[in-house]
Amino acid sequence: MRNARALAERLAESLTDAIVRAAEIVLDAVRPQPQAQLVPVRVRSRRRPDGR
């Protein structure tokens, strides 16, 4: 009977760990991912008189 209790406790712990891992995977898939921010850049079309 002692082995059955230990086995049940290990099974419950394994199931809990598996459920937590599955929940993390689902939440990672559902959670919105951060998007890259586009930064406006000014492009100069003329050269400066000093050559830069």
Side-chain angles (χ1 to χ4, degrees):
M1 196 54 101
R2 182 183 249 174
N3 289 339
R5 176 174 281 161
L7 181 62
E9 287 175 2
R10 274 188 275 153
L11 180 61
E13 191 174 322
S14 296
L15 286 173
T16 302
D17 290 345
I19 291 169
V20 168
R21 269 185 266 131
E24 288 172 348
I25 290 169
V26 168
L27 289 176
D28 284 344
V30 172
R31 190 176 301 138
Q33 300 297 318
Q35 300 293 319
Q37 295 291 324
L38 297 178
V39 179
V41 177
R42 182 178 298 173
V43 178
R44 298 176 193 243
S45 59
R46 295 190 220 164
R47 289 188 169 224
R48 291 183 178 181
D50 60 358
R52 289 187 183 180

